[in-house]
Each structure stands twice: as C-alpha cells, then as structure tokens.
Amino acid sequence: MPPLAIVVLISGNGSNLQAIIDAKQQGLAIDIKAVISDRADAHALLRAQEVGIPCHIITAQTHPARTDYDLALQQLLLQIQPELIVMAGFMRILGASLVEYWQGRLINIHPSLLPRHRGLNTHRRALAAGDRQHGCSVHFVSAEVDAGAIIAQASCDISDHETESSLQQKIHQLEHQLYPYVLSQFCLRHITLVREQAYFRGKSLFRRPLSPVSLQPQT
Ligand code: GRF
C-alpha cells in the first residue's frame, strides 16, 4: 500500500505535529506533503522546516473575509491533493462548503471526551464540572464545530489534586499517542465515513469509538 499523503493544518505550538513527524520517522507509512498555518509565527512551522516539510502560510490579515480565506486554502489543498487533511491545533473554523468537499478526508483532534466539552477551555470546564475522567477525541470534521463523527478516544482519571495545567499535560500525552495511532489505521485504509458515521473495518464506531487501552499518560 502506498504511504498515506497527508496535509497538517496548524496554528500554534505543534506538539501533535511533532508526534506525527516522530511516528513517521519510526515507520508510520505517511507522506507529510505540507504543513499549512494561519499564523506566520506558529512554532509548528519550525518543527516542519526542521525536517524539510513544505510550509504554507495563509493568514486572516491577507484574507480577512472567511470566504476568501477558505478559497485560498481550498486552492492550495487542490494543488496538493492530500488523501487526508489532519487538523492539529488549527484554530480557524472552516466554512461549510470546504468541509463538505473534504468530507471523510478531514479530521481533527479535540482535548475532551466528545460530545462533552465542545469548544475552548476544555480542561478548565472538566475540572469545574467535577468530572472524574477527561481525555481527547479524534473525529471527522463536519460543518458543526466539534460535532463530527468520533473515530477514537483516549481517557485518563482526574485526580483530587489536579490543576488545569497538570490536566493539560496529561491530555497532551494522550493526544501524542492517539493521533499517530489513528493515522496508522488510516494508513491501512481501515477508517471510513459513510452517511456521517465513522466505521472501522466496516463496523460502526457510533457510541463505541476506537479506544486503545494501551494509551496512558506517562506521569
Ligand atoms: C491540542 O490540545 C489539540 O487537541 C487542540 O489544540 C491543541 C494543539 O496543541 N485542538 P499543539 O499545537 O499540537 O501542541
């Protein structure tokens, strides 16, 4: 099977991008065709440049209108022709037509056990809600934010002494294992989206996302 051609969309630090780069260096059969950022100063760009991945920057300053932004992004994506677009801390909401065009080929990682805590500040909200468990989810992107079909989740306990920052650290550690795992399943062409539902080797993941038991925070 040929390596899976992916594009990674980022806005910030890029620790998930780094985990994907590391996994590729350890044998994950992906070809990272490009990294696209909406911020010129994103640290993730340095991580990509370090290993020679082509980088592109499309900012809200040069494309203030959402439709113009999406058009520029779409033109670039059509040139690159990825099999899968991997959002890894990309902080823009994509318009419905772009999302629809790439439906089934556009995924995101979110720092909560979806459908709990969609949106921002998920660690703070999990603590404020008194949750005993927290985690991260990889899901297909749909027009509604953080609401697309869930592919995989990893979770951890919230301890009595947990702080927002200790929880964030745990979740990042889970994310860095979960995203490469999910990509490995895409490489095997095991994951598909059919009528807005995720499937793993033909079996619906609705209510039972992939949940590799071996994934644990290291702290
Ligand atoms: C991650 O927590 C991810 O779940 C969220 O944004 C954060 C990105 O972190 N969507 P990084 O840039 O990969 O370090």
Side-chain angles (χ1 to χ4, degrees):
M1 233 178 271
L4 184 78
I6 70 167
V7 163
V8 185
L9 305 188
I10 56 88
S11 299
N13 178 29
S15 65
N16 279 285
L17 170 66
Q18 190 65 55
I20 293 167
I21 291 170
D22 293 348
K24 176 180 160 55
Q25 284 170 349
Q26 284 155 30
L28 183 66
I30 54 171
D31 180 4
I32 309 173
K33 292 274 182 201
V35 164
I36 304 175
S37 175
D38 67 334
R39 294 187 57 117
D41 61 353
H43 181 66
L45 292 169
L46 301 179
R47 299 180 190 268
Q49 280 155 7
E50 181 125 338
V51 291
I53 301 168
C55 293
H56 304 268
I57 298 163
I58 308 173
T59 68
Q61 283 75 45
T62 53
H63 299 80
R66 157 96 76 88
T67 46
D68 291 346
Y69 190 98
D70 281 5
L71 200 60
L73 180 57
Q74 175 70 336
Q75 276 168 358
L76 184 54
L77 291 169
L78 289 174
Q79 273 168 35
I80 302 170
Q81 287 290 331
E83 286 175 83
L84 187 69
I85 302 167
V86 178
M87 292 172 63
F90 187 65
M91 296 307 286
R92 282 187 69 88
I93 295 171
L94 299 173
S97 58
L98 193 143
V99 168
E100 197 182 318
Y101 183 91
W102 294 101
Q103 208 177 36
R105 295 175 290 166
L106 176 59
I107 62 172
N108 181 43
I109 189 158
H110 181 78
S112 81
L113 293 171
L114 289 170
R116 243 180 125 58
H117 308 307
R118 290 176 183 160
L120 299 173
N121 302 316
T122 56
H123 313 306
R124 194 181 312 162
R125 285 159 56 209
L127 287 173
D131 293 357
R132 302 314 302 166
Q133 286 236 309
H134 191 40
C136 54
S137 309
V138 175
H139 62 94
F140 283 107
V141 175
S142 64
E144 196 183 339
V145 176
D146 300 331
I150 299 167
I151 299 164
Q153 293 185 317
S155 62
C156 63
D157 292 335
I158 296 182
S159 78
D160 292 339
H161 311 290
E162 207 76 70
T163 63
E164 193 178 339
S165 106
S166 67
L167 196 50
Q168 181 182 35
Q169 213 180 329
K170 277 187 185 174
I171 299 308
H172 261 129
Q173 287 178 3
L174 289 176
E175 289 184 343
H176 300 161
Q177 299 166 69
L178 188 67
Y179 229 176
Y181 166 75
V182 169
L183 290 180
S184 74
Q185 300 309 306
F186 271 100
C187 287
L188 295 168
R189 280 53 176 189
H190 280 169
I191 299 173
T192 48
L193 183 76
V194 181
R195 285 188 290 279
E196 297 182 13
Q197 271 201 41
Y199 286 82
F200 175 70
R201 305 182 81 175
K203 207 170 150 224
S204 172
L205 295 171
F206 185 58
R207 294 218 177 88
R208 296 197 71 173
L210 299 174
S211 186
V213 280
S214 54
L215 304 194
Q216 295 292 330
Q218 271 120 36
T219 46

